[in-house]
Amino acid sequence: MDFALNEIQEVLKSTAQKFFKEKCTVTALRAAEASENQFSLSFYQEIADMGFLGLCIPEEFGGAGGNLVDLALIVEEAGAALFSSPFSSTLSYGVLPLLQYGTLTQKSELLPKIAEGKLQITGALSEPQAHYDLSYITTVAKEEAGTYTLSGKKMFVPFATTADYFLTLARTNHSAVPSGEGLSLFLVKGDQEGIRISPLPSIGSDGLYEVEFDGVTVTSADLLSDVNHGWEPVQKILEAATALQCIELTGLLNRAVTITNDYVKERHQFKRPIGSFQSVQHRLADMFTIVEGGRLAAYYAISKLNEGCSAETESAIAKAFICKEGQKVLVGAHQLHGGMGIDMDYPLQFCFRRFKSMQLNFGPANVHLKKVAKTLADYSIPNGQLVN
């Protein structure tokens, strides 16, 4: 498969790289993390003004009409810049689900505002007992004459305090738990009464929150896909979100390698740069090889999704590999830096903390290895290829 970029994509990538590099200094990152919302609202608006939020939104809805590969190029550069904001969550829980499952009315109303940076969407899916397996969802939406009353607690919701909508999953019938039957997806307006938001401490720089819905009103117009048929759409949404996060993680890990490579050229010991020692060179080569392998796996998953194919196995392979092997990249980076690596005024600590947080998001390696194992059990493997 040819992953070579065309001329437009080359310009897009270089533009994004320059933009994020100029804006995401260590000082700016620390200021954003220390702010009330843990990101810069003005910077988020600049992201929208650059056209990044609307990149894969069709022109008829105020976007640029790009594709998923185009979007992945931007997400990778955002990952390399260690950029923390509702950018990724709005794409994964807003733009892509709306494009695939939204009604014409929902698309016409919400997508132009997202492209302009005037509307943020986040995902409120996980629960205390249902983090990686959403069949254990207990949040309920009781229906009466087309109106639903939503009640339940959601965990690890990113950037909830500024979200205009929550993409959430609830039971709309009395199906047994655990079960994927009788689940429905709703876009819940964030400014309603009955929504309580509490911050959750996290090692990463992304703001995570607990969100409790207590008698919140939603209607059939807020449904994404059909009522009682939310299981398949939410799996597809998470599949794409996982693939995009893998792209972001490769950008982050590549930044860690770049920082380390620069450092070992400048740090001298025994009257020579430590990068001239063979053991250091081999360690860096191992780290670089992991990043390149993860990037290829992630872009393969994105390319499958871009073609309209399932990428369940490909996304699982990418996430499992990056979670397991990416840990070695960060450990190697810190070991080659020594004590310098944990200095809070140095960018490497952002790489480590963000990686550890994202490593758990959408499931760590063991969760995705289980999916790959299921593929092996269910299908034959012709010519060494896993078949979805």
Side-chain angles (χ1 to χ4, degrees):
M1 180 169 290
D2 183 11
F3 287 122
L5 304 182
N6 59 41
E7 186 176 343
I8 295 175
Q9 289 172 332
E10 290 281 6
V11 173
L12 184 64
K13 182 177 176 65
S14 62
T15 300
Q17 188 177 65
K18 181 180 179 181
F19 173 79
F20 284 115
K21 186 175 182 179
E22 289 179 354
K23 296 293 182 177
C24 296
T25 63
V26 173
T27 301
L29 292 172
R30 293 191 68 184
E33 186 176 4
S35 66
E36 181 181 1
N37 298 313
Q38 293 185 261
F39 76 97
S40 168
L41 284 166
S42 61
F43 185 35
Y44 183 80
Q45 185 58 55
E46 289 185 67
I47 294 293
D49 294 340
M50 289 291 292
F52 296 157
L53 277 165
L55 184 60
C56 66
I57 294 176
E59 293 181 13
E60 62 187 293
F61 300 119
N67 59 38
L68 267 179
V69 176
D70 299 333
L71 184 62
L73 298 174
I74 304 299
V75 171
E76 184 180 359
E77 294 305 325
L82 311 175
F83 172 55
S84 177
S85 86
F87 176 55
S88 294
S89 58
T90 296
L91 292 173
S92 297
Y93 298 118
V95 174
L96 300 184
L98 281 167
L99 288 176
Q100 191 165 6
Y101 301 107
T103 64
L104 180 59
T105 300
Q106 289 171 332
K107 293 176 183 178
S108 301
E109 180 182 348
L110 303 179
L111 288 177
K113 293 179 182 178
I114 291 175
E116 294 170 4
K118 296 178 180 178
L119 190 145
Q120 298 172 22
I121 298 179
T122 191
L125 301 174
S126 297
E127 296 184 4
Q129 74 291 337
H131 190 23
Y132 302 131
D133 186 350
L134 298 182
S135 66
Y136 286 88
I137 289 289
T138 59
T139 295
V140 296
K142 296 182 179 179
E143 188 264 346
E144 185 175 347
T147 298
Y148 298 83
T149 302
L150 181 68
S151 298
K153 182 184 292 185
K154 299 293 182 176
M155 304 292 291
F156 312 114
V157 180
F159 302 106
T161 54
T162 57
D164 297 287
Y165 284 87
F166 297 95
L167 177 68
T168 196
L169 191 65
R171 293 198 175 275
T172 43
N173 71 11
H174 300 291
S175 57
V177 178
S179 172
E181 300 293 328
L183 292 170
S184 300
L185 271 172
F186 291 94
L187 277 173
V188 184
K189 293 180 180 178
D191 59 357
Q192 299 184 71
E193 292 184 4
I195 300 178
R196 291 193 291 272
I197 300 174
S198 305
L200 294 172
S202 168
I203 190 174
S205 54
D206 290 353
L208 295 178
Y209 298 85
E210 174 186 292
V211 176
E212 186 171 357
F213 300 113
D214 185 8
V216 176
T217 299
V218 288
T219 69
S220 54
D222 299 316
L223 279 165
L224 211 60
S225 189
D226 298 326
V227 67
N228 295 328
H229 290 84
W231 180 254
E232 183 177 347
V234 81
Q235 298 307 309
K236 294 297 183 183
I237 289 167
L238 292 177
E239 183 182 305
T242 300
L244 272 182
Q245 189 187 72
C246 288
I247 295 290
E248 187 175 2
L249 279 166
T250 60
L252 182 155
L253 292 172
N254 190 60
R255 177 71 181 278
V257 172
T258 301
I259 291 170
T260 307
N261 190 42
D262 292 342
Y263 179 77
V264 299
K265 292 175 182 177
E266 299 170 355
R267 173 76 166 88
H268 282 67
Q269 189 66 42
F270 306 111
K271 299 182 180 181
R272 56 192 288 196
I274 63 173
S276 65
F277 294 107
Q278 190 178 60
S279 60
V280 172
Q281 294 171 354
H282 286 185
R283 190 65 178 272
L284 270 170
D286 286 339
M287 292 159 58
F288 181 73
T289 301
I290 289 170
V291 173
E292 288 300 295
R295 177 184 284 117
L296 286 172
Y299 270 100
Y300 183 50
I302 286 292
S303 69
K304 294 276 286 186
L305 291 169
N306 193 51
E307 295 167 359
C309 303
S310 171
E312 179 183 7
T313 302
E314 291 77 9
S315 293
I317 290 172
K319 188 64 159 65
F321 178 82
I322 292 170
C323 284
K324 287 186 69 177
E325 300 303 310
Q327 178 78 17
K328 298 176 184 177
V329 174
L330 271 303
V331 169
H334 277 286
Q335 288 179 339
L336 292 177
H337 274 85
M340 182 68 178
I342 61 173
D343 190 321
M344 295 302 285
D345 290 322
Y346 197 67
L348 189 59
Q349 53 89 12
F350 280 103
C351 295
F352 185 82
R353 292 191 296 115
R354 290 214 73 204
F355 176 81
K356 294 306 294 182
S357 179
M358 294 168 70
Q359 190 179 34
L360 299 176
N361 193 20
F362 301 123
N366 64 297
V367 170
H368 293 280
L369 286 173
K370 185 177 180 180
K371 294 180 181 179
V372 178
K374 184 178 183 300
T375 301
L376 290 169
D378 292 346
Y379 298 98
S380 60
I381 314 173
N383 301 321
Q385 297 293 319
L386 293 182
V387 180
N388 278 316

